[in-house]
Amino acid sequence: MRMYRTILMLALMAIGLPSMAQSEAGLLVELEAEKKLSKKFSVGLEADLRTRNDFKTMDRWSVGIGGEYKPVKYLKLDAGYTLLNTNFREDISYQASGFPKKWRPSYWGIRHRFSASVTGSYKFDNNIRISLRERWQYTYRPEKTVQRWSFNDDPMGWEDKVRSSKGKNQLRSRLQVEYDKKHALFTPFASVEFYNSMAIEKARYTVGTDLNITKHHTFSVFYRFQDMHNVEPDDYDPDMHYIGAGYKFNF
């Protein structure tokens, strides 16, 4: 019961966080398949799909591959690669008078992400498990030519705009609490995660539960609030409220 009260408290804190006027809602769907090669090694495939603009606009999809090594009971190491196809938001610049200057419509673009993580966890006698994950990730966006409308030219019209390639390093720190009882149907969890790149850029608050149907099939449902901080205009995203669902298959 103490675990459920803790998760409920974290859920109320997340829901009660102040939302900015430009916050949006979206759907997050996650799929994963994992194959154990031994007691210490495993490999996996994963994919996700996200929407934004209050569920009306596709935001991105991704596919990834990774490996995991567990040298001791309380420690896990993993690394992976993810291909992301992102629907970058439109961008509008304005003149001093307040009239539009340039407008770049939204467009789809590829990004490449590499990551490596270290996760330490401890399970108490009452089946409460606490884990801390530190993840480094590097995301690379290749150069891409897109179209932009200029309101200054005479005659005004479309022009090519080259978005330069860009690489970014981030450190992601996640603290998670879950009720991990063997053979239990439900495994409720709550977590908080911070994205750091010289300053905190993003905070994620998540509450949900896994539904352990069988040894091989696990479903999950969750709510996530994503709070943005110190984001460059080029990487703008509003605060997000996600309703999520996931499925994992263990070979």
Side-chain angles (χ1 to χ4, degrees):
M1 292 299 295
R2 183 179 301 173
M3 178 59 189
Y4 286 97
R5 288 198 297 270
T6 301
I7 292 177
L8 178 60
M9 184 183 302
L10 291 171
L12 293 174
M13 289 174 61
I15 296 173
L17 289 170
S19 299
M20 298 176 63
Q22 65 269 31
S23 65
E24 298 178 1
L27 177 68
L28 174 55
V29 179
E30 300 176 335
L31 302 174
E32 184 177 356
E34 183 181 67
K35 171 64 176 179
K36 285 191 174 295
L37 304 178
S38 68
K39 289 184 177 181
K40 293 186 176 182
F41 289 95
S42 63
V43 294
L45 296 171
E46 60 183 19
D48 77 19
L49 180 149
R50 300 182 185 183
T51 67
R52 65 173 189 246
N53 190 27
D54 298 333
F55 307 100
K56 296 188 291 289
T57 304
M58 186 70 70
D59 185 46
R60 87 173 199 195
W61 61 261
S62 68
V63 291
I65 185 171
E68 179 182 298
Y69 173 59
K70 198 168 185 178
V72 293
K73 183 178 180 180
Y74 307 112
L75 185 67
K76 180 175 67 177
L77 310 175
D78 65 78
Y81 163 77
T82 304
L83 174 69
L84 306 103
N85 193 17
T86 302
N87 184 5
F88 290 97
R89 294 174 182 268
E90 67 177 359
D91 180 65
I92 304 176
S93 60
Y94 294 90
Q95 304 177 39
S97 61
F99 287 97
K101 181 179 180 181
K102 295 182 184 294
W103 170 57
R104 188 202 71 214
S106 61
Y107 72 94
W108 286 89
I110 292 294
R111 291 184 295 163
H112 305 277
R113 176 170 293 168
F114 304 88
S115 64
S117 308
V118 179
T119 305
S121 65
Y122 183 79
K123 184 176 180 179
F124 296 91
D125 293 337
N126 57 1
N127 297 309
I128 295 177
R129 181 183 297 276
I130 296 180
S131 63
L132 176 64
R133 185 187 72 187
E134 294 292 344
R135 169 172 289 176
W136 162 83
Q137 70 177 29
Y138 173 76
T139 307
Y140 176 73
R141 185 192 71 199
E143 180 181 293
K144 187 177 179 67
T145 299
V146 298
Q147 284 197 312
R148 181 174 64 177
W149 182 274
S150 174
F151 295 86
N152 291 336
D153 297 338
D154 189 16
M156 64 182 183
W158 292 102
E159 62 183 15
D160 288 338
K161 164 66 176 177
V162 177
R163 295 201 77 192
S164 300
S165 60
K166 181 179 180 181
K168 185 173 186 177
N169 288 283
Q170 284 183 308
L171 179 66
R172 298 170 52 176
S173 303
R174 188 193 71 183
L175 178 65
Q176 179 167 290
V177 180
E178 61 181 324
Y179 183 70
D180 184 16
K181 185 177 181 180
K182 193 173 183 179
H183 304 307
L185 179 61
F186 293 98
T187 304
F189 58 85
S191 68
V192 57
E193 183 174 17
F194 298 100
Y195 286 60
N196 194 335
S197 179
M198 305 303 291
I200 300 296
E201 296 185 334
K202 183 190 303 183
R204 283 181 172 175
Y205 305 89
T206 306
V207 290
T209 185
D210 289 333
L211 181 60
N212 306 298
I213 303 299
T214 68
K215 180 180 179 181
H216 301 288
H217 305 277
T218 302
F219 292 89
S220 61
V221 291
F222 58 89
Y223 163 78
R224 173 175 295 160
F225 175 68
Q226 184 168 282
D227 189 17
M228 306 299 293
H229 301 272
N230 305 307
V231 181
E232 299 176 9
D234 194 43
D235 298 323
Y236 168 76
D237 271 313
D239 295 344
M240 291 293 301
H241 300 271
Y242 285 112
I243 300 299
Y247 169 71
K248 182 177 181 179
F249 178 71
N250 292 286
F251 289 89

